Amino acid sequence: MLKQVVRLLMAALFVSIPYAAAAAERLPDPVKAWNNHFKTWAVVSIVVYLVVTVPLIYFVFKYKRRKKDENGAYIEGNTALEILWTIVPMIIIIMLGVQSWAVFNDLRDVPKDHIEVKAVGFMYGFEMYSPEGIMTLNELRVPVGNIKVNLSSKDVIHDFALPAFRTREDMVPGENTYLWFSAKEPGEYPVYCAEFCGSGHSSMLAKVIVMKKEDYEAWVKSKQAASSTTAALTPDVKGKELVEKLGCLGCHGIAGETKAGPALNGLIGKSEELEDGKKVVIDEAFVMEKIADPKAKPVKGFSHIMPPNALAKEDYEAIAAYLKTIK
Amino acid sequence: MENVMHGGKSEVHHHEVELSVWPLITAVGAFLLPISFMTSFSWGLSSVGIILAGVAVVILIVGLFGWLNEVHAKKEDAGLSKIAILVFIASEVALFGGLFAGYLYAMLFTGTWPPANTPEGVPPVMLAIPMTIFLLSSSFTIHTAEDKLAHGDMGGFKGWLTFTTILGALFIAFMVYEWHHLIAVENFTVRTNEYGTFFYTITGFHGSHVIVGLVMQIFCMILAAGAKIGKNRQTLMKVTGLYWHFVDLVWLLVVSLIYVVPFLKAGQ
Amino acid sequence: MSTQPAGFKSWLFTTDHKKIGVMYLVTSLVFFVVGLLLALIMRTEQLDLTKKVIIDADLFNTAFTIHGAAMVLFWMIPVLLGFLANYMIPLMIGAHDVAFPRLNALSFWLYVGAGLIAVCALILPGRLDTGWTGYPPYSIVGPANTAFYVFAVHLLGASSIAGAVNFITTIITLRAPGMTWGRLNLTVWGLFGAFIIQIVGVPVLAAAVTLLLFDKYLGTSFYDGTKGGSPILYEHLFWFYAHPAVYVVALPVFGVVSDIISTFSRKKVYGYTSMAIAIMIITVVGFETWVHHLYVAGTLNWTRVVFMWGTIAIGVPTGIKTFNWLATLHKGSIELTTPMLHALGFISLFTIGGVTGIANGLLGFDIQVHDTHWVVAHFHYVLAISMSMLCMGAIYYWFPKFTGKMYNESLGKTAFWITLIGAMIAFLPQFHLGYDGIPRRYWKLPAKYGPEMKVAVIFSYITIVGFLMTLYNFVHSAIKGKKAPANPWNSLSLEWQIPSPPPFYNFENIPTITDGPYEYGKPADNTVKAH
Ligand code: HEA
Ligand code: HEA
Ligand code: CUA
Ligand SMILES: [Cu+2]
């Protein structure tokens, strides 16, 4: 028996070494590599499950108790058999591990020809910066190609999850992390925040927009042209831009919906109850103070998680002016 | 039945105890302690919190002392506590292991250690030297005390134990002075930087263990005064001794990692 | 010998391991029910993925936080290390009580205190919404009253350490004459491994949360990334305990499965020695796996690889145990009682949970499924369904012993099948969500998963029906059940050799043990060994 086991093992090793070598080789596309890995795991797991459950059910029927005082056979154990069911799972585990290691390397080693963009998480949204320095909120526009995304966070831990490309990585305050993906087909791919971060966690969504090279360049040009004209804007238009840029919309709706914070439309002139029970009528001054020091007059019924923003005086006024225009 | 066991020694066994009020009282004290903290920090009622904390500490001490007294009212001494304290020390090793691992993690992943804004006189190595001497010598004195106890020399035992307690108390006094000096003069606090954060936490944790050791010694002394500790009942003293040696060993780690390494700027 | 105390005081001030065990059982069942109610609320919320059904996002977050904490810290661990260890260890090793009866009572009351704080965290303002993991910086800068969390962990930790010290000492010193290490029940072995993990792990968790408290209320900067600290440090310290904690649950359960299967197959546990060794290997290797919760947390790449090998290596000793169970059934004389059904169901469901755990452990695989519903499905298969299921099985198995009454067999079996079918399907759809990378702890999932979640919700209702039947069976039988014989299963294990319920002093005289607990049908001449 033991001899047979050893022979079987030799055969298994013989088969698995070239297999492992193939797995360690770099695959061109991490998504495909992951999908293959999943398939291997699924086949192994179904087999393991059947190997456990089928004998289980069979034994229950075969060895059902017939007589009241019957005992089972007296068997201590069997070394060869025990070695068999130690070594075989071990080999399976090593095979899966090697394959997974290879997939991992694919997912973590950034190819040389890539462009670098940046994403910063905050409560609740993502600020994305293109290589040209254009900031967009909750959407990352990239041209077809290999993209490395540098990740960081402003407040708590978030996660940049990009399931379509089988990759994700946490955004940790005070640290810099990264991930990369190979954008092949133009289109939109969802991004989720996959690390719990509070009330707005499940609405911390974004998308990656992969564009053809020409389209992307055209988009960059139009953005650059637009930003050079900002100076001439009226306060309320500027306020709108600020509200979008500063990420206020991560927590505030502007169409009456309550997110992590109260909706911003129709706010000025509204009467609101504060945490300490006092009532206030919201005016421009209240809004400005709220942005500078959100904890000073907390509104009742919400968690007080709004981050302070130190802005120039005209910026505060611009935001207040904008809030006035949305009803 | 015959299959697995038979008859047995016919020694009449008494349950060690049937009922005891002390565990519940101790638990109430332990429960009130966090409640007092929450009352003052989370609900902003600091005066109520302080009163509650006082009540909690009193209940805790009453509970523990009543407990010890009850245990020592008994004639024989099963001596199981020695294995128990070894197991417990294993868990204390893990506690300090976790803290030191965190400290090393911070040190090794930071460029300069201690960080640049640490004041000149920190760490105060000159203070650490006498503190080390106190603790190390107290390990010898407590050992002598145990020796005396084993030989039934109660007078010698009480003397050496008192000496140990004094050395421990001196250590705590120096530590209080050190903290005061660092905070008031050097302006080095828990908030200064990561080093400050760890400095106070680890020395504080260690200091609290010294205090626990001192309390155990005082309990021993009180029980010895009531003749509840003696040649045939040494377990509590042995346990106290083992714990004290452990606290000493931890101090050596504290000195080398928290004082000497940053002092020599070796962690860079 | 003094008489047995009675009345109200006999419970409040008791130091008797059996009474304390029963109090643990009742308290932990209360938390189980609290946890299940919260689960139902969460699931009901997911009936409609576009708008609020009954609770808003903040309440949802509180719900899963307390649900997770109640289930892991207040139900699974106490029912095993509190009830099972207390009631069974002295009976199984042949002792009158544990080594330190008063310390034992203290452990229990500290656990109750921790539970009270946890309940406060659910209802008082500043509700805990950090997840049972309590990651900073959210737990520091967020609105939650983190102190609840920290102190619940402290009290519970003190309780666990006291318990572990007590039981390790008991197992080492109070074994009856002849009760060698090779004759211990595997349940005792499993509990022994679990207590070792507690001794090493709990203090580290206590340290981790203490630093959290300092950061939140004293302004230190251990975990604050913007002030030079590192939030990842917390994750390391937390999982250093919290991963092994799953083996704190699993090891005793593995032991109980062996006991139940041996009793109802009337056959010696196959490979006793390898079972005990496997338990000890898992105890040790369990500490070399924790980074698998940090695979995408920005840890160094090589540490992830090192910990991947540790993680998936656990599959091997676990596999040894699984196959030994199958081999124990082989040529046995199998009787399908309710506890046996639970043990067999356990093996099947645990394998599903186990192989999906291996998937998580595989580094490349986990990058897609980390913190998704895949993980939720994995741990509900292992923890919620198979482990809880076996705890129910264990209660059934020893029910005649600790209540002295028989439970209702046919009701038990019906309840088993209903719970099993419900529980199997209640988490299956989540593997699909996980495969698609949909994150967990989402109040509202993307709307296209509506149908999947509806299936999940309905089947979790079905499970609850089954569970309520089980609960009814327990309560009703404990009061009105038939009187149980001393050894209804004809087991050879020591705890069944004394009357049910056990007398106050367990054993009149400490017995001398002459053979192991599993020697069914042992040939008299002892020449036949192995085939
Ligand atoms: C009792 C509880 C329990 C148990 C026993 C396990 C068992 C295992 N768990 Fe699980 N796990 C949890 C409870 C548990 N887990 C919880 C609660 C979480 C989530 C925490 C949170 O984030 O909130 C979690 C999360 C979790 C993660 C993190 C996922 C993530 O967040 O990204 C990982 C990753 O490696 C993991 C892996 C494993 C592995 C490898 C095992 C192994 O021990 C399984 C071994 C068993 C088998 C493999 C089956 C039997 C073996 C055979 C039949 C032999 C043949 C098999 C093969 C050859 C494969 N678990
Ligand atoms: C023992 C542990 C345990 C148990 C029993 C359960 C039981 C259940 N859990 Fe639990 N759950 C956790 C541990 C557990 N859970 C943990 C640790 C988390 C993570 C928290 C966090 O993120 O911080 C979590 C999170 C969690 C979530 C949040 C997921 C998310 O992140 O979005 C949800 C959502 O619906 C959920 C649902 C349920 C449901 C419907 C049940 C049940 O209703 C399932 C059905 C079962 C029963 C009603 C009966 C109980 C009886 C048995 C299980 C025994 C079976 C018996 C036989 C077969 C006879 N759980
Ligand atoms: Cu950001 Cu979750
Ligand atoms: Cu784990």
Side-chain angles (χ1 to χ4, degrees), chain C residues 5-44:
Chain C
F8 184 61
K9 268 209 320 224
S10 75
W11 289 93
L12 211 51
F13 299 134
T14 186
T15 58
D16 175 34
H17 72 98
K18 297 185 289 301
K19 284 212 166 96
I20 294 176
V22 170
M23 292 199 289
Y24 261 115
L25 176 63
V26 173
T27 320
S28 59
L29 275 172
V30 169
F31 282 107
F32 191 25
V33 171
V34 170
L36 290 175
L37 285 177
L38 289 168
L40 284 194
I41 294 174
M42 278 190 287
R43 276 291 160 90
T44 308

Side-chain angles (χ1 to χ4, degrees), chain A residues 151-204:
Chain A
L151 307 169
S152 59
S153 163
K154 279 189 184 165
D155 34 47
V156 304
I157 305 178
H158 301 278
D159 183 290
F160 193 91
L162 198 50
F165 297 102
R166 308 287 188 250
T167 187
R168 65 185 57 204
E169 189 79 10
D170 283 358
M171 311 169 102
V172 185
E175 267 159 57
N176 296 306
T177 53
Y178 74 92
L179 56 76
W180 81 275
F181 61 95
S182 166
K184 293 217 162 78
E185 293 290 315
E188 287 189 13
Y189 304 94
V191 174
Y192 303 92
C193 172
E195 189 60 61
F196 179 65
C197 54
S199 322
H201 174 52
S202 70
S203 49
M204 191 163 159

